[in-house]
Amino acid sequence: MKKKLFWFPLLAALLSIGILYTIGNVFEISFLSWNKENPSEEVIFEAEGSAIPVIVGFIVGFITKLILKSKHKGNSNLV
């Protein structure tokens, strides 16, 4: 069960981050997107991204971990 406690929240967080960035890029939502630009000749590459999908991903991962812990309270080797 220790592996589930680690992998499910991590996968939930990464999946939610990926989905939110994809939604932001497809529908051009600025606070959910990742932008790449070539602003000038001195700078080769500039990228800017929103931190909101990452924050939401951490929250989803934390909630997933809490749900897994609450479902398996009686299991002493979980933590």
Side-chain angles (χ1 to χ4, degrees):
M1 187 58 204
K2 286 185 179 184
K3 289 184 181 181
K4 282 186 182 179
L5 188 63
F6 175 74
W7 286 109
F8 281 162
L10 179 65
L11 291 175
L14 292 175
L15 187 63
S16 65
I17 290 170
I19 288 172
L20 287 174
Y21 273 129
T22 301
I23 289 171
N25 285 329
V26 168
F27 297 110
E28 296 179 2
I29 302 171
S30 63
F31 60 89
L32 292 178
S33 67
W34 185 263
N35 301 321
K36 299 171 285 287
E37 299 176 6
N38 293 329
S40 65
E41 293 178 9
E42 296 95 24
V43 179
I44 298 172
F45 179 75
E46 183 177 324
E48 60 181 30
S50 176
I52 293 175
V54 176
I55 294 169
V56 171
F58 283 143
I59 293 170
V60 168
F62 182 71
I63 291 172
T64 305
K65 185 175 180 179
L66 289 177
I67 290 171
L68 283 174
K69 278 188 175 181
S70 69
K71 283 189 176 184
H72 300 284
K73 270 188 179 177
N75 195 352
S76 62
N77 64 357
L78 181 63
V79 180

